[in-house]
Amino acid sequence: MATFTLLVTSSPNSTDLHLAATEFANTAVKDGHILRRVFFYGDGVYAGLASQQPPQGQKSALQLWRQLKEDLDTPLQACIANSLRRGVTDCREAKRYNLGEATLADCFELCGLGEMAEALNDSDRVIQF
């Protein structure tokens, strides 16, 4: 049994890697492995944008990650610096920077790179999508 962390750096709008990542995570957990967390970095933070509208008939990356969080109770952590640069904010940061409403979905949390460093230490493997 291995423990792992997912590192998601791809934009949810440019590839199917978010679908592949959620399928990988679900399969690995069914096979007895432990998913410590999912960390979103770079354009991957757009997965946490609450206002996503997928193409008709498709699930949004947000829906895929929300379902994974519900099923596995795995933390979905977006890099705070990358998120702020892209206009993805939680209530606290929106208020801090006087940006109006939060744009981060409630199933995600903003975290620093220290969380990713902790994940590297606590996981047998880090898999990037």
Side-chain angles (χ1 to χ4, degrees):
M1 173 174 62
T3 59
F4 64 96
T5 290
L6 296 184
L7 172 62
V8 180
T9 59
S10 63
S11 170
N13 301 316
S14 61
T15 68
D16 288 335
L17 288 176
H18 288 259
L19 175 60
T22 55
E23 289 176 350
F24 173 86
N26 282 310
T27 300
V29 169
K30 283 179 188 170
D31 289 345
H33 302 290
I34 298 169
L35 176 60
R36 293 271 187 226
R37 73 186 78 212
V38 182
F39 193 83
F40 298 84
Y41 190 78
D43 284 347
V45 301
Y46 285 126
L49 192 59
S51 61
Q52 291 181 47
Q53 280 301 318
Q56 192 171 21
Q58 295 180 12
K59 283 188 173 183
S60 70
L62 175 58
Q63 289 170 314
L64 295 169
W65 292 114
R66 178 173 276 134
Q67 188 65 55
L68 183 113
K69 169 104 173 133
E70 289 175 12
D71 293 346
L72 306 179
D73 195 32
T74 299
L76 303 177
Q77 301 174 324
C79 173
I80 190 169
N82 286 227
S83 295
L84 291 175
R85 267 187 237 120
R86 289 164 175 82
V88 181
T89 60
D90 61 5
C91 291
R92 182 175 155 213
E93 296 303 316
K95 184 177 179 180
R96 178 180 177 193
Y97 291 104
N98 204 19
L99 298 173
E101 297 295 317
T103 59
L104 184 70
D106 59 358
C107 57
F108 281 75
E109 60 184 291
L110 295 181
C111 295
L113 286 177
E115 294 292 329
M116 187 59 201
E118 184 179 303
L120 291 170
N121 188 49
D122 293 346
S123 299
D124 296 321
R125 294 185 178 102
V126 175
I127 299 125
Q128 183 177 355
F129 286 89

